[in-house]
Amino acid sequence: MAVIEPGKIRNVAVVGHRGTGKTSLVEALLYQTGAVNRLGTIEAGTTVTDWDEDEQNRRLSISLSLAHTDWQGRKVNLVDCPGDPSFQGEWRCALPVVEGAVVVVSAVMGVEVGTTRVWKAADELGLARLVVVNMLDRERADFYRTLAQLQEQLSAACVPVHLPIGSEHDVTGIVDVLHMCAYTTPDGSKEGDPVSIPDEMAEVAQEYREKLLDAVVETDEALMERYLEGEELDAHEVAAALKAAMTRGEVFPVACTIASKNLGTHALLDLVVEGVSSPAKRGSPIDVDGVDTAAFVFKTVADPFAGKINVFRVLSGSVTSETTLLDLREKAKERMGSLLQLQGKEHTPVKEFGEGDLGAVAKLKDVQTGDLLADRDAALAAPGFGFPEPVMSFAITPKTKGDEEKVANAIRRLAEEDPTLRLRRDQQTGEEILAGMSQMHVEVALERAKRRFGVDVELHPPRVPYLETIRKESRARHRYKKQTGGRGQFGDCEIVLEPIDGHEGYEFLDKIVGGVIPQSFRPAVDKGIQEAMQHGELAGAPVQGVRVLLVDGQYHNVDSSEMAFKIAGSMAFKEAYAKADPVLLEPIMELEVTVPDDAVGAVNGDLNSRRGRLLGMEPAGGMTTIQAEVPMAELLTYAQSLTSMTGGRGDYGMHLLRYEQVPQHVAQKVIDETQAQREAANA
């Protein structure tokens, strides 16, 4: 395969909310251009980009997938991205390496949470955007209603370049108002050449052509003068001005498709080639001054046959199978030996990728997603992907005892593919915690771990990391004395406990006057107290926010030892703690929920029932963002509830804010449960 010039490449990410037909659209584009010889379907599991077993079983995209085709002498790299918020890390990886985003919306549902999120991210990256209104043949589909939502909620600069002929099940084609022609529905076969606009659409087509021209000429003064003088503008001139306006983010064309029938793909491909900038024009998305050859790894795939595959964009120069590059993170050299062109799951070996192209390489040693590779060491900054924090955590245990290390290695391998998966050990509860973006996200990861690495894992709800503290000062003295014949054990200490403001931290103050406890034994008292604080007496949770004063004690010349004073300190703390009005603290999360306006009442009511405190609401274009503070214990099952209340249109994120005292009736329930667990463990 010859190296493609940067000016003849178009890199686009196909993004949007879940269920809008993105994968079907990519399939139709590949079919229309002859890259595949039949139109695959989601239902049959025959699409190019949803090739993974999990994707076919669940009928939704889970990982980003690369495909490529040719149109009008241009190489079009298509990055098919999942729309489900569980897998949003995938499109966050794709957007920084493309010049344009094809934002797909359903003509039935219109603008949804996922639409707004990807639009905002693409806007921050300064990407050219075009919107595709898909599924026009569905019941309740309405192109003009969806267009109004796009203009209201995304940008007033969303301007239609295509119009549907007919509505719902009676759609028979589309009108291209840029080139003033029409395409009739091919019903699943290849779309033919353009035809004349039907008479019944002539007036509407002229009206929307004028709207398009008004929007485009406003961005080009020379064109505006000619237009106002009544001169007829050539379609190629308008297309060139449209491309410039798209690149500057001043106009966002709106196209029409029925991907399942391959309608609208010819006009859409024209729009991508004519409207999205090439890498030659836009330049590298990352500053690579000081190096001749550079590549950015934006995705890692664990292929069962080829091993680890790193997907990259060439930022400058060209990469051949003989090229050796330096991983700027590891400072290790990597030979780019096995270069691959990806078409879904198909890998075609290639010898070279030119500047601006997207490719893949197998068998690199230590390269990870987000790494920059260059021909020499340089101070280059890789962009952050802006991954959100995981919101759903589970405790995991292997079904087979002794498989703990095997499970950890499997999850680590999966996290290389998907950096939004996090595995950590909870120091407080001792549990292995796997966190992801949703329950489905975690379940998919574990299904893959079982299939690829042969490890079977059980999921459990994680335990809430409660803390304990004290509310008043107390004093206690304990004497530990043991005589067993020969040398005994003796340690005696008196301590005072004081609460620390903010219920955080621990302080140990040595207030011994004289030598009632020798200096060498005093750290043992501190150690005994700290060990006792690891498991408080209320619910077995760590104790925080305590200042301990060692004020008095006694020792024996022969029998005293570090162990004796450690035990005495531990027992004195437990006695003083019981008298210091101990209370339970729970983690409070700062929650941000985005829901449709019609669900706000139900969601607010639900948050109140979860002991939540509402902080504020920000409505924006049919959606409302609610800020609240809610105890973590009340959010363990929140994902399912939010899905139920919003019909899957709601979304949320959260992070730890602080710890607060648990209300008495809730605390008593937690204490009783802990007591029952202790009794069961000792039975």
Side-chain angles (χ1 to χ4, degrees):
M1 187 186 78
V3 176
I4 313 293
E5 297 170 24
K8 292 186 175 179
I9 295 172
R10 300 291 184 272
N11 296 316
V12 292
V14 183
V15 293
H17 197 77
R18 61 171 172 249
T20 53
K22 298 178 295 299
T23 298
S24 298
L25 180 61
V26 170
E27 187 73 13
L29 295 174
L30 296 176
Y31 175 64
Q32 179 65 26
T33 54
V36 295
N37 55 21
R38 65 191 176 99
L39 191 63
T41 65
I42 300 292
E43 293 71 26
T46 52
T47 61
V48 170
T49 52
D50 272 6
W51 53 269
D52 186 83
E53 192 179 318
D54 291 310
E55 294 177 319
Q56 292 173 359
N57 291 339
R58 293 175 182 269
R59 294 188 179 180
L60 88 163
S61 300
I62 290 171
S63 302
L64 72 79
S65 188
L66 244 64
H68 63 94
T69 190
D70 295 294
W71 189 253
Q72 292 184 13
R74 305 290 187 271
K75 181 186 181 186
V76 181
N77 286 316
L78 299 164
V79 189
D80 181 17
C81 300
D84 192 288
S86 306
F87 310 107
Q88 60 180 285
E90 301 295 311
W91 60 255
R92 291 184 185 277
C93 289
L95 288 182
V97 298
V98 297
E99 280 72 38
V102 174
V103 182
V104 186
V105 297
S106 159
V108 179
M109 302 302 296
V111 176
E112 300 176 81
V113 181
T115 321
T116 312
R117 187 185 283 115
V118 295
W119 186 271
K120 184 179 176 186
D123 189 49
E124 288 170 358
L125 290 165
L127 299 184
R129 275 151 282 163
L130 60 97
V131 183
V132 175
V133 180
N134 191 26
M135 301 177 167
L136 287 161
D137 59 341
R138 301 285 178 91
E139 195 173 322
R140 295 187 300 108
D142 189 329
F143 173 78
Y144 298 99
R145 181 190 66 221
T146 304
L147 175 63
Q149 287 182 8
L150 292 168
Q151 291 171 337
E152 181 192 343
Q153 297 181 35
L154 299 185
S155 170
C158 288
V159 182
V161 290
H162 305 154
L163 303 172
I165 302 170
S167 62
E168 296 186 7
H169 304 299
D170 299 323
V171 172
T172 58
I174 66 157
V175 171
D176 180 344
V177 298
L178 175 58
H179 300 96
M180 286 308 278
C181 60
Y183 295 88
T184 55
T185 180
D187 281 323
S189 48
K190 286 200 178 176
E191 204 168 36
D193 291 328
V195 297
S196 299
I197 296 171
D199 293 342
E200 68 272 16
M201 288 293 295
E203 197 175 318
V204 177
Q206 190 57 44
E207 177 194 340
Y208 277 91
R209 176 171 173 77
E210 286 172 12
K211 288 182 179 180
L212 173 64
L213 291 175
D214 287 346
V216 171
V217 299
E218 272 187 24
T219 67
D220 188 313
E221 282 187 26
L223 216 57
M224 182 182 277
E225 281 181 31
R226 291 167 54 198
Y227 179 60
L228 293 175
E229 287 168 6
E231 189 178 327
E232 186 64 35
L233 300 178
D234 179 70
H236 294 295
E237 290 180 301
V238 179
L242 176 62
K243 182 175 186 173
M246 280 178 68
T247 304
R248 295 192 300 267
E250 294 172 352
V251 174
F252 307 109
V254 180
C256 292
T257 60
I258 302 175
S260 58
K261 292 181 179 176
N262 194 36
L263 173 64
T265 49
H266 191 296
L268 178 58
L269 284 159
D270 287 346
L271 189 57
V272 167
V273 168
E274 293 172 1
V276 176
S277 291
S278 68
K281 189 162 186 180
R282 192 162 189 263
S284 170
I286 301 167
D287 183 6
V288 287
D289 279 353
V291 299
D292 298 323
T293 306
F296 176 61
V297 176
F298 64 93
K299 175 67 180 169
T300 302
V301 181
D303 187 87
F305 305 108
K308 188 169 80 169
I309 294 176
N310 297 110
V311 188
F312 63 88
R313 169 169 167 153
V314 183
L315 302 174
S316 66
S318 64
V319 174
T320 73
S321 51
E322 301 298 318
T323 303
T324 297
L325 296 176
L326 182 73
D327 182 347
L328 298 183
R329 177 182 57 84
E330 286 285 319
K331 306 299 181 189
K333 289 186 176 179
E334 299 276 3
R335 186 170 175 275
M336 309 291 279
S338 306
L339 294 179
L340 303 168
Q341 179 82 67
L342 300 186
Q343 186 80 311
K345 68 176 176 181
E346 301 298 325
H347 309 152
T348 308
V350 294
K351 292 182 179 176
E352 187 174 0
F353 285 107
E355 187 173 323
D357 212 348
L358 306 183
V361 57
K363 298 172 183 168
L364 299 186
K365 294 191 291 288
D366 301 312
V367 174
Q368 297 176 2
T369 300
D371 281 359
L372 269 170
L373 310 176
D375 58 353
R376 65 178 76 99
D377 198 4
L380 303 182
F385 290 117
F387 293 132
E389 285 299 309
V391 295
M392 201 78 181
S393 299
F394 291 91
I396 59 170
T397 54
K399 285 187 179 176
T400 308
K401 222 170 184 185
D403 268 4
E404 286 81 6
E405 192 60 36
K406 203 174 171 186
V407 168
N409 286 334
I411 301 295
R412 231 170 270 124
R413 290 279 301 277
L414 291 171
E416 286 179 6
E417 271 189 75
D418 182 356
T420 57
L421 277 176
R422 311 275 171 84
L423 181 67
R424 62 181 175 83
R425 184 173 182 80
D426 191 309
Q427 297 299 325
Q428 183 175 324
T429 63
E431 295 174 315
E432 289 290 340
I433 303 293
L434 179 60
M437 302 308 299
S438 70
Q439 183 169 342
M440 178 171 67
H441 186 203
V442 173
E443 286 172 353
V444 164
L446 297 186
E447 284 168 17
R448 287 182 165 181
K450 182 178 180 179
R451 195 172 63 250
R452 292 184 191 174
F453 308 108
V455 293
D456 227 345
V457 179
E458 288 182 338
L459 283 182
H460 316 276
R463 285 184 282 178
V464 176
Y466 290 108
L467 295 175
E468 298 181 23
T469 193
I470 59 172
R471 292 195 295 184
K472 69 179 188 183
E473 189 178 308
S474 67
R475 179 184 290 257
R477 183 168 189 144
H478 187 86
R479 173 172 292 187
Y480 177 68
K481 187 175 181 182
K482 196 172 185 183
Q483 200 68 42
T484 54
R487 184 177 171 180
Q489 294 282 0
F490 182 89
D492 182 331
C493 64
E494 183 175 347
I495 60 171
V496 174
L497 303 190
E498 296 176 355
I500 296 176
D501 289 344
H503 304 309
E504 287 183 9
Y506 164 73
E507 292 177 20
F508 179 81
L509 303 178
D510 182 354
K511 296 293 184 180
I512 294 292
V513 178
V516 290
I517 299 177
Q519 187 68 46
S520 59
F521 293 145
R522 296 174 199 174
V525 176
D526 181 16
K527 193 173 181 184
I529 291 168
Q530 288 194 51
E531 285 187 7
M533 288 176 67
Q534 288 177 12
H535 301 284
E537 295 298 301
L538 291 181
V543 179
Q544 280 200 3
V546 176
R547 183 182 295 113
V548 179
L549 285 67
L550 177 60
V551 294
D552 200 3
Q554 200 175 343
Y555 78 103
H556 188 278
N557 280 330
V558 177
D559 292 347
S560 284
S561 66
E562 283 190 21
M563 178 58 71
F565 273 100
K566 182 178 162 185
I567 294 171
S570 171
M571 301 307 291
F573 176 80
K574 288 179 181 179
E575 291 170 19
Y577 184 67
K579 297 185 283 186
D581 194 10
V583 290
L584 201 60
L585 302 176
E586 65 181 345
I588 303 296
M589 311 303 287
E590 186 169 52
L591 182 72
E592 192 169 273
V593 195
T594 303
V595 298
D597 289 346
D598 57 10
V600 169
V603 171
N604 283 347
D606 178 70
L607 289 174
N608 283 325
S609 73
R610 294 173 186 271
R611 301 190 282 126
R613 286 192 291 271
L614 296 177
L615 302 178
M617 295 190 293
E618 292 177 17
M623 304 295 288
T624 298
T625 299
I626 302 166
Q627 283 100 17
E629 294 177 3
V630 189
M632 182 195 280
E634 303 288 347
L635 293 172
L636 298 181
T637 59
Y638 188 61
Q640 297 94 313
S641 300
L642 185 64
T643 300
S644 170
M645 287 183 288
T646 63
R649 294 178 294 157
D651 192 24
Y652 74 103
M654 63 182 179
H655 66 267
L656 178 64
L657 192 61
R658 62 177 179 275
Y659 272 81
E660 272 186 11
Q661 185 180 333
V662 183
Q664 184 57 40
H665 68 286
V666 179
Q668 194 56 52
K669 192 177 172 186
V670 175
I671 292 165
D672 292 345
E673 285 174 3
T674 306
Q675 190 63 37
Q677 288 170 4
R678 283 175 179 164
E679 289 171 2
N682 295 330

